[in-house]
Structures are given as structure tokens and as C-alpha cells.
Amino acid sequence: MPLMLFMVVARWAAARAQAGVYHEGVDLLQRRLDLEQTNLCNSPIAPEDTIRPIEEVASLRGEDGWCYFGSTGLWARNCGLSRRSKNMMVFVLTYEVGYIPVLAGPWATEKALFFEDGRRMTLRDHDMPLDDAYCFVNGWYNLPRAQVVKNFTFLEEVSEAACKDLEKKVPNYHSITLSDIYAEADQSQAILVELMASSSPVVYANQTLLDNMYFHAATKCALGGRFGFCIAWPGCCWLGQRLQAFLAHSGKQAKIGQCAARGVLRRPRSSL
Ligand SMILES: *[C@@H]1O[C@H](CO)[C@@H](O)[C@H](O)[C@H]1NC(C)=O
Ligand SMILES: *[C@@H]1O[C@H](CO)[C@@H](O)[C@H](O)[C@H]1NC(C)=O
């Protein structure tokens, strides 16, 4: 069997086995993998476009930013594919396999994180704490999960409203470039990783992190034009239910809300 084909089959089989664990998703995973085999949303990016405002790039290239910048990674590409097919599950399933071990392992020690505005969340993700902080700060853990995951129209409405609000909050909203996205994410991730490494169970983030989380959301709006679309749920909404299914499968119980934060899992880590 040619190596490429072997890799595709092995990946499919691994993904399929994983889906079985959660009692759902095989067809969806297959559809996602089929889509990933196409060349949609995977074209090379003109180097100058990484430092041009994304809004300008999108109109210049006549394409959705998520799709145009798809070759930078699945975070962008699978959102672009979801938007094209109006099927959010393409994106939802992108990180399913990876997040479970990150959130359920013995390394997932909890930190209570306080923000400058007085809000407090619990973080368990030591790998990409940015995702969690970003969902929390922007209020996306409070959305109705079934609507967010299954109703494209609803998600577009939520995204559009969020983007309008962010347009007022984020000063350079209309001039965000791809390189700004990376710079902000690197800074935010560095701040959070340092906090997560602290020996204290309670940590405090300064105003920069709060500003960055709004900026982070605004970058998703830039990619999606009026509809950020993937802003409202990568890791925000689906994960709680996935973890619940995973825990139930392994004979464990966990009380998790609709769009539960990963941090909502308050059980001692040894019970996971
Ligand atoms: C989907 O969302 C739209 C917009 O919020 C709403 O009008 C519609 O009733 C929803 N559809 C379903 C099946 O819930
Ligand atoms: C917040 O902390 C980071 C590093 O931890 C620092 O680079 C930044 O300047 C601080 N921001 C403010 C407003 O103090």
C-alpha cells in the first residue's frame, strides 16, 4: 500500500476507533476526513497577505478569511470547511481526539484564575489554556450547546452580535493582520503558561490578558467578515458534553453544564 494511502487509512481507523468510544461521530468524522482530503481551503498564501489587514485580503482574494488562510492549520481550515458546508461538526470534531487526554490526565491540575474585572474561572488545560480563557472571557460558555453546535443560523447570529460588540471594544479591529493574530496568541499563551506553572492554586491575570482575549475574538471576526462564526465555540461549547460522554463511558459521573467549561470538572483529578 502506498505510504500516503496507508497513513490516511491508519488515521481514519484511529479516528473511527476514537469515535466509537464516544458512541457517536463516525460518519461525521469520515465526512470530515473526506473533506480534508480535498484541496478546499488549502491553497498557498501570498506572503504579503500575512501583514495586510485581513479584511482587505478577503476582499482582494474574494474569499472567506478562514478558507483563504486555511493552509496555516486545521484551526483555520476546518472552520473554513465548516462554513462552506454549513456543518459545524467538521470543526467540532477537529480537536476531539486531542483534548480528552489534555483535560483528563493527572497533569490537568486546576488553577483558579482571577481576571482584572473580578471574574474568576477554573482552568485545567495546561496545553492550550488560551482557548479556555478566551471562551470564558467572551461569555461563550453560557450559550445553549445544541443550538451552537447544530444550528448554523443561530451560530451566525451569535457571532455577528459578538463581532459588533468587539468592533467597539477593540481599537484596531479593522486592521488586524494574520501576523497580529500570531503575536497576540504567543503573548497570551506565554502569560497563561506562566500562571499555570505557578505553585499556587489561585493565580491573577493582569489587564493585558483581558484585552488580549477580546482581541483574540476580534481576530476571528476579521477572518469571518461580519460573522466570526468559529469564534463562539472552538473548545467552548462541545467539549463539556464530550467529556461527560467520555467519563460516563468509563463508569464515572460528572456534572457539567451545557457549554461547560473544561474547568467545570471539579472532581479530584485522581477520579478522572
Ligand atoms: C435556529 O436558530 C434560529 C435563529 O436563532 C432560530 O430562529 C431557529 O428557530 C433555530 N432552529 C431550531 C431548529 O432550533
Ligand atoms: C501583564 O503581564 C505581562 C507578563 O506577565 C506583561 O508583559 C504585561 O506588560 C503586563 N501588563 C500590564 C498592564 O501590567
Side-chain angles (χ1 to χ4, degrees), residues 94-114:
T94 304
Y95 298 107
E96 164 163 303
V97 175
Y99 268 131
I100 298 292
V102 167
L103 297 170
W107 41 82
T109 42
E110 289 183 2
K111 295 279 170 205
L113 171 64
F114 278 88

Side-chain angles (χ1 to χ4, degrees), residues 9-85:
V9 170
R11 198 162 145 234
W12 178 78
R16 208 178 118 114
Q18 189 74 20
V21 173
Y22 311 114
H23 307 290
E24 59 173 287
V26 174
D27 289 350
L28 289 162
L29 265 175
Q30 184 55 55
R31 249 189 285 156
R32 187 200 112 202
L33 294 178
D34 287 347
L35 266 173
E36 281 179 26
Q37 298 313 310
T38 68
N39 258 334
L40 292 171
C41 304
N42 204 22
S43 305
I45 300 161
E48 65 272 23
D49 286 348
T50 62
I51 50 166
R52 225 180 224 151
I54 290 168
E55 284 186 2
E56 210 178 281
V57 174
S59 69
L60 195 70
R61 306 294 174 195
E63 209 173 355
D64 176 41
W66 291 101
C67 194
Y68 180 71
F69 288 112
S71 62
T72 60
L74 291 181
W75 69 275
R77 186 173 177 216
N78 282 4
C79 185
L81 292 175
S82 264
R83 284 163 67 89
R84 286 177 75 102
S85 60

Side-chain angles (χ1 to χ4, degrees), residues 187 190-191 194-195 205-209 211:
Q187 186 192 36
I191 292 174
E194 197 184 322
L195 291 173
N206 65 19
Q207 186 63 36
T208 302
L209 189 63
D211 293 343

Side-chain angles (χ1 to χ4, degrees), residues 228-248:
F229 179 83
C230 283
I231 62 170
W233 57 291
C236 295
C237 245
W238 62 274
L239 201 71
Q241 201 174 62
R242 290 279 158 182
L243 270 175
Q244 202 152 21
F246 174 79
L247 294 169

Side-chain angles (χ1 to χ4, degrees), residues 83 86 88 140 143-144 147-166 221 224-233:
R83 284 163 67 89
K86 295 195 191 297
M88 284 81 90
W140 296 326
L143 299 171
Q147 292 290 314
V148 170
V149 175
K150 302 259 161 67
N151 185 340
F152 188 86
T153 315
F154 176 85
L155 191 58
E156 283 206 327
E157 278 181 11
V158 169
S159 296
E160 190 180 10
C163 292
K164 274 198 184 131
D165 188 40
L166 290 161
C221 295
R226 211 151 54 90
F227 308 107
F229 179 83
C230 283
I231 62 170
W233 57 291

